[in-house]
Amino acid sequence: DAKTTQPPSMDCAEGRAANLPCNHSTISGNEYVYWYRQIHSQGPQYIIHGLKNNETNEMASLIITEDRKSSTLILPHATLRDTAVYYCIVSRTSGTYKYIFGTGTRLKVLA
Amino acid sequence: GAVVSQHPSRVICKSGTSVKIECRSLDFQATTMFWYRQFPKKSLMLMATSNEGSKATYEQGVEKDKFLINHASLTLSTLTVTSAHPEDSSFYICSASRLDGGPTDTQYFGPGTRLTVL
């Protein structure tokens, strides 16, 4: 079973920030939080990952709570091309690690 | 960097035939590659983990004799669906983990292969 829970769907107005939450209350100390998105009929695209500090790159920002039990992916200025299913995954980084995908959040950016 | 390709992107075959899908890491070496299957409107389900030069590790419920995985080099893994049936019709996606990826072992995904079995 997936170790994360996400809302099934969200809408966001174009140009506004999209804030996508993820709960991972059973996360272990050596597990990272990864975010990917999947546009229809394509492979998932890597967005960002983090351990405990907040992270930012050219695509998004990742805010992880101090207890690491939840996180939020922030798309600062959503565009129509950001419409996709967003997956939050927790995974170890050594040994036999693997991604277990949950159901994700279907984000729809509205014009 | 970190580009993964798959070939073919689409394949249609007759029931009972075998189909091979290739997954290549184009600009990096991958110690580990993963194969996923995705049914319409569903999430990705991990089928197997493959390490270069060793046998693949299959997830529970995935038939290893039906879904043959070969990871012969650090840039190529193949998935062969043997004796395909209509219920094998799905979107197959591979991912690769960089050899030099440091401590985070991020997976990079291919574009997927849509298999239709008639």
Side-chain angles (χ1 to χ4, degrees):
Chain A
D1 291 345
K3 297 183 66 173
T4 61
T5 55
Q6 300 175 249
S9 64
M10 292 181 65
D11 290 342
C12 176
E14 188 177 21
R16 304 297 294 269
N19 297 285
L20 292 92
C22 179
N23 285 321
H24 32 80
S25 59
T26 61
I27 191 170
S28 300
N30 62 352
E31 289 182 318
Y32 280 69
V33 180
Y34 293 84
W35 282 84
Y36 287 79
R37 70 182 183 185
Q38 186 179 26
I39 296 170
H40 182 62
S41 295
Q42 298 181 25
Q45 176 190 22
Y46 167 77
I47 301 173
I48 199 168
H49 72 276
L51 183 61
K52 53 184 178 181
N53 297 322
N54 297 338
E55 302 288 344
T56 296
N57 63 20
E58 64 278 5
M59 291 182 68
S61 294
L62 173 60
I63 309 298
I64 302 174
T65 58
E66 192 170 343
D67 63 7
R68 303 209 324 123
K69 293 185 177 182
S70 66
S71 61
T72 301
L73 178 74
I74 301 173
L75 307 179
H77 306 286
T79 71
L80 298 179
R81 288 179 295 180
D82 292 323
T83 293
V85 178
Y86 287 76
Y87 294 102
C88 166
I89 300 163
V90 297
S91 178
R92 291 188 296 143
T93 61
S94 61
T96 304
Y97 71 100
K98 55 189 178 183
Y99 289 176
I100 304 299
F101 281 78
T103 53
T105 295
R106 187 172 297 275
L107 175 69
K108 186 173 183 180
V109 180
L110 306 172
Chain B
V3 178
V4 177
S5 71
Q6 282 184 240
H7 178 80
S9 58
R10 289 178 177 271
V11 57
I12 300 173
C13 70
K14 293 182 178 180
S15 185
T17 61
S18 294
V19 174
K20 180 184 285 188
I21 302 170
E22 291 186 348
C23 175
R24 294 181 185 272
S25 55
L26 297 185
D27 54 359
F28 66 100
Q29 292 184 317
T31 47
T32 306
M33 289 184 169
F34 302 83
W35 287 95
Y36 297 82
R37 181 166 54 181
Q38 186 175 33
F39 293 107
K41 299 188 184 299
K42 299 294 185 182
S43 187
L44 282 77
M45 291 183 58
L46 180 65
M47 299 175 67
T49 303
S50 126
N51 290 294
E52 184 265 339
S54 62
K55 291 184 178 180
T57 301
Y58 291 81
E59 294 299 301
Q60 190 173 8
V62 178
E63 300 175 59
K64 62 180 181 181
D65 295 329
K66 181 169 183 60
F67 299 99
L68 301 179
I69 293 172
N70 182 278
H71 191 161
S73 77
L74 288 173
T75 59
L76 173 65
S77 176
T78 60
L79 168 68
T80 301
V81 182
T82 63
S83 186
H85 289 105
E87 57 265 30
D88 298 323
S89 298
S90 188
F91 193 50
Y92 291 87
I93 307 170
C94 72
S95 70
S97 176
R98 299 179 72 114
L99 178 66
D100 59 351
T104 57
D105 290 324
T106 302
Q107 291 184 33
Y108 297 93
F109 287 80
T113 296
R114 185 160 304 282
L115 170 64
T116 303
V117 185
L118 303 177

